[in-house]
Amino acid sequence: MAESTLNPEKLPAHVAIIMDGNGRWAKKKGRPRSFGHKAGVEALREIIKMSDELGIKALTVYAFSTENWKRSAEEVGALMGLLLEYFRRELEELNRKNVRICILGDIDGMPKGTEKQKAALHQAIEKTQTNTGLILNIAINYGGQQEIVRAAQSLARKAAQGLIRPEEITTESMEAEMYTAGEPKVDLIIRTSGELRLSNFLLWQCAYAEFYITDTLWPDFDRKQYALALEAYAGRNRRFGGV
Ligand code: IPE
Ligand code: IPE
Ligand code: MG
């Protein structure tokens, strides 16, 4: 499968990726988990580049879940370190490529000791907010259930203020409260490392997304692997409840 044979008309507008398997990848090599996360960042760079080249409109990547804080302080520290390093290294170039960075998740709810990360995230959003190219959504301190609760709270607040009636709450008004408001719907969700679960990722947005699960561990997910996923997507028959 070569990238050049992908049919541009059958590409997804929005791809979401659960980048999983960094720890197992490192373990297989007898290295610490952080080594896997470092390699995972390199894989991500290439997938962003390819998404941009292909003209995909939005790419959402799961970088850190609300549950990932359960990991050891050492691992969380390594991940937070990589996050900072990533923006220091990549922000200029992403901006030059006209990429708009959005953060899905509760930035301000991140724990003490992550002030630099919060500042870097806000800076990335602000710097790229008027860009018109690839939308790069990075999910950090993100939970799909929390996102839905947040939407419900916002609508409840509006109802309590008398701005809307409860009957006026629709799938569209909920959609407008999601972090991904205004973006194309998620067409394809990819999970690496073979796990068959969503792990609290994009619960609202994945209503009609196509799933692609591969045993490949995230650091090994390269352009060829991505092309295979896109080719599989191109062959799907999406019915959306019709026939
Ligand atoms: C995904 O890889 C990266 C993050 C969750 C941040 P993991 O760290 O979950 O790797 P495995 O699943 O333990 O192999
Ligand atoms: C999901 O992977 C989160 C990210 C990839 C950031 P996890 O490794 O945290 O998911 P579980 O624990 O296997 O469900
Ligand atoms: Mg994992």
Side-chain angles (χ1 to χ4, degrees):
M1 176 65 225
E3 290 164 39
S4 54
T5 63
L6 287 168
N7 180 350
E9 278 168 23
K10 291 194 167 175
L11 284 174
H14 190 161
V15 179
I17 309 182
I18 303 177
M19 309 184 288
D20 198 14
N22 294 349
R24 278 163 282 172
W25 184 88
K27 195 172 173 200
K28 270 191 5 194
K29 293 188 154 31
R31 304 292 299 268
R33 292 179 62 83
S34 58
F35 182 70
H37 295 314
K38 229 177 149 120
V41 175
E42 297 311 313
L44 174 61
R45 288 187 72 201
E46 211 48 45
I47 296 309
I48 294 172
K49 197 160 164 250
M50 185 164 151
S51 302
D52 184 43
E53 288 164 13
L54 288 171
I56 284 171
K57 296 202 165 44
L59 174 69
T60 301
V61 294
Y62 207 2
F64 196 92
S65 74
T66 44
E67 288 74 35
N68 287 145
W69 298 107
K70 288 181 196 162
R71 298 187 179 196
S72 72
E74 186 191 355
E75 182 168 354
V76 170
L79 284 164
M80 289 300 133
L82 278 174
L83 183 69
L84 265 191
E85 196 184 310
Y86 178 77
F87 285 112
R88 277 193 194 134
R89 214 176 90 184
E90 304 290 331
L91 184 57
E92 284 300 331
E93 196 187 336
L94 290 170
N95 188 41
R96 215 170 16 225
K97 284 187 173 159
N98 200 21
V99 172
R100 174 153 66 94
I101 298 171
C102 304
I103 304 299
L104 315 190
D106 184 8
I107 301 177
D108 298 324
M110 284 168 64
K112 255 198 157 124
T114 58
E115 286 69 28
K116 280 189 186 157
Q117 283 77 6
K118 289 184 198 178
L121 295 175
H122 284 301
Q123 188 202 10
I125 296 168
E126 272 151 39
K127 195 176 172 84
T128 64
Q129 64 189 349
T130 56
N131 288 353
T132 53
L134 173 72
I135 300 168
L136 174 61
N137 296 314
I138 308 181
I140 293 170
N141 195 22
Y142 173 86
Q145 290 187 329
Q146 289 85 335
E147 181 181 26
I148 294 170
V149 168
R150 177 176 166 272
Q153 286 178 344
S154 171
L155 291 176
R157 218 172 286 123
K158 288 177 190 166
Q161 289 167 354
L163 299 171
I164 54 168
R165 284 180 293 121
E167 305 73 55
E168 286 168 350
I169 296 176
T170 59
T171 48
E172 288 76 21
S173 60
M174 281 288 285
E175 171 75 30
E177 298 290 342
M178 297 295 156
Y179 291 120
T180 50
E183 299 181 9
K185 296 216 180 331
V186 174
D187 295 306
L188 171 66
I189 177 162
I190 298 171
R191 183 165 191 154
T192 57
S193 88
E195 305 298 351
L196 302 174
R197 53 178 173 266
L198 274 175
S199 302
N200 206 10
F201 190 46
L202 302 180
L203 300 182
W204 174 271
Q205 293 85 346
C206 281
Y208 266 104
E210 295 291 326
F211 281 79
Y212 181 85
I213 313 261
T214 170
D215 285 335
T216 302
L217 303 171
W218 176 250
D220 290 329
F221 192 85
D222 57 12
R223 298 180 76 105
K224 206 168 157 209
Q225 295 283 328
Y226 193 23
L228 282 173
L230 295 170
E231 187 195 36
Y233 172 81
R236 301 281 174 89
N237 177 12
R238 304 183 78 190
R239 287 187 288 277
F240 300 98
V243 287

